[in-house]
Amino acid sequence: MSNLTELSMVDARDGLRAKDFSAVELTRAHLEAIEQAGALNCFVTYTPELALARAAESDARLSSGTALPLDGLPVGIKDLFCTEGVQTTASSHILEGFAPTYESTVSQNLRNDGAVMLGKTNLDEFAMGSSNETSYFGCSINPWRRQGDDTQLVPGGSSGGSSALVAARLALGATGTDTGGSIRQPAAFTGIVGLKPTYGRCSRWGIVAFASSLDQAGPMTRTVQDAAMMLTSMASHDEKDSTSIDAPVPDYEAEIGKDIRGLKIGIPKEYRVDGMEPEIEKLWSQGIDWLRDAGAEIVDITLPNTKYALPAYYIIAPAEASSNLARYDGVKYGLRVADSSDDIVSLYEKTRAEGFGAEVKRRVLIGTYVLSAGYYDAYYIKAQKVRSLIAQDFSNAFEKVDAILTPTTPSPAFGLGERSDDPISMYLNDVFTVTVNLAGLPGISIPAGLDGQGLPLGLQLIGRAFDEQTLFKVGHVVEQAAGFDAKPENWWGGAS
Ligand code: GLN
């Protein structure tokens, strides 16, 4: 039965409908694979009984001819989405033991469409990070390794548990969230597809907030069509999130296989950054050739304010985070550290000192600093102005082109501990992805090749606001041209 874990989501859906196998069999195959894969540390909370119960419900609908769009398909849910009655930690000690009484809109949408949750996937604490190493529950491990080298590599972050899970064939797909690159960067590091939708396409309700003006949920899958299928379910208008758009959700899957002749693809010169690995540059050129060969017109463009994106992001995101994280005070839920002699202030202080990890504290400190009276104009307001300029750069570019092609990351996956001592080198991972969040645009990462050490590399497509369709259409062309069929060798245990 182990080959059931090799199916794409689309093939699994078709197989279930053709009664080639049942939802319980499909779920069991994944649970068995997960049970061999403890070394990957993909889950903070694993929910096999719940998964089997939901799969049985799917089987009942499948056999009565009332199947839902994602019925019986096993997925991971990033542990940033509140799930009713199931522990939700944001990979932080401060939320350990917190079981929400409600379900996030996105996970509810997936549930309403019949998807089977396998558990809650590991992430960087409060989604702050690019490697998964800031998780209180230990780092999730990348199933990929450099050839002939057993150094453990990070799966990217913050959605590293989700990326490792999908790449290791332990789920057909998973949810991620992306504030500065947290879907696309881990997707690139693990050879899978990750899409950050336009800000407002998916509801943020019930997702533990990091930086509310940047956060967005999206799918992580092994194929572009699977991502289209999953986003169709995840996206919705939601009265509980005033920033979610009241517009119909298109049939994203219908874009797969469409012609791209005549489409204009922009290549931004500012993304040719110093220190980019030559192999990534080569892959980018190859991507340009693939699109040209498919009939697209390649156009050189300029996004002149790109170099200010990272500094602006690392002011705006911590500013919003410091405000959002003020609610973790030991009073309402989660961890409380105090003894009977403590007053309320020392309860706050002790709880926050013990409950938050170093990276979260760094962000709260930076955030409160840039928002403080004397510095607000010099940092926060200025960063907001830069943000407008970056959005304007993209608007100008999208007058000339239909989508933009860039690498997803400046390097392949790195080893555990290789960058954790130097926050700046960690932040540099996001150089190609944060711009997209600042401008609120959709972006997709597609696995496009391997580097000389056998590690996956991704290409990113950026689209106009609410034009995910073009990303699916062009993304599928890149996927077909790349023919990426490599998979990680199973070193973590059990049959592959
Ligand atoms: N790596 C970025 C950060 O640490 C982005 C994280 C994210 O998108 N959640 O802020």
Side-chain angles (χ1 to χ4, degrees), residues 127-130 157-158 177-182 210 313-314 363 430:
M128 297 174 188
S130 305
S158 63
T177 63
D178 191 314
T179 304
S182 276
F210 166 9
Y313 172 85
Y314 277 100
R363 307 268 180 135
D430 306 321

Side-chain angles (χ1 to χ4, degrees), residues 194-383:
L195 177 119
K196 180 199 96 73
T198 312
Y199 184 79
R201 185 63 284 184
C202 289
S203 168
R204 288 179 297 106
W205 194 79
I207 301 175
V208 175
F210 166 9
S212 308
S213 76
L214 300 160
D215 299 343
Q216 186 60 203
M220 302 175 77
T221 55
R222 290 194 293 268
T223 72
V224 173
Q225 186 170 353
D226 288 359
M229 180 173 164
M230 219 175 141
L231 180 63
T232 305
S233 173
M234 292 169 71
S236 64
H237 170 57
D238 182 6
E239 285 178 357
K240 292 184 289 212
D241 173 4
S242 62
T243 63
S244 83
I245 188 174
D246 189 1
V249 179
D251 175 7
Y252 293 120
E253 257 190 281
E255 299 304 315
I256 305 299
K258 282 193 183 163
D259 205 314
I260 64 159
R261 268 178 289 183
L263 270 192
K264 294 196 171 68
I265 306 293
I267 309 299
K269 64 170 193 269
E270 292 78 6
Y271 281 55
R272 240 168 255 290
V273 294
D274 289 345
M276 183 155 87
E277 305 211 1
E279 283 169 311
I280 295 205
E281 212 167 328
K282 197 171 124 213
L283 189 78
W284 193 12
S285 306
Q286 212 164 47
I288 295 171
D289 291 343
W290 292 333
L291 293 176
R292 193 184 284 117
D293 291 348
E297 190 187 324
I298 304 298
V299 182
D300 287 326
I301 57 164
T302 171
L303 298 167
N305 293 291
T306 300
K307 60 176 176 296
Y308 304 118
L310 266 182
Y313 172 85
Y314 277 100
I315 290 173
I316 295 167
E320 294 185 18
S322 70
S323 163
N324 275 326
L325 269 55
R327 73 191 66 169
Y328 304 103
D329 54 12
V331 174
K332 294 181 278 294
Y333 39 67
L335 182 75
R336 173 178 299 180
V337 185
D339 56 43
S340 53
S341 64
D342 283 318
D343 61 13
I344 187 86
V345 174
S346 62
L347 178 145
Y348 293 162
E349 286 172 353
K350 283 187 180 168
T351 302
R352 289 170 68 84
E354 198 169 313
F356 289 142
E359 182 62 27
V360 174
K361 286 178 184 159
R362 179 182 294 128
R363 307 268 180 135
V364 170
L365 283 171
I366 295 171
T368 44
Y369 178 78
V370 299
L371 290 175
S372 61
Y375 298 101
Y376 185 82
D377 289 348
Y379 291 102
Y380 185 69
I381 295 290
K382 197 158 188 180

Side-chain angles (χ1 to χ4, degrees), residues 43-54:
F43 288 109
V44 174
T45 304
Y46 174 48
T47 54
E49 294 84 14
L50 194 63
L52 286 169
R54 289 193 187 157

Side-chain angles (χ1 to χ4, degrees), residues 35 164 192 198 299 423 467 485:
E35 276 146 29
I192 66 167
T198 312
V299 182
D467 186 17
D485 56 6

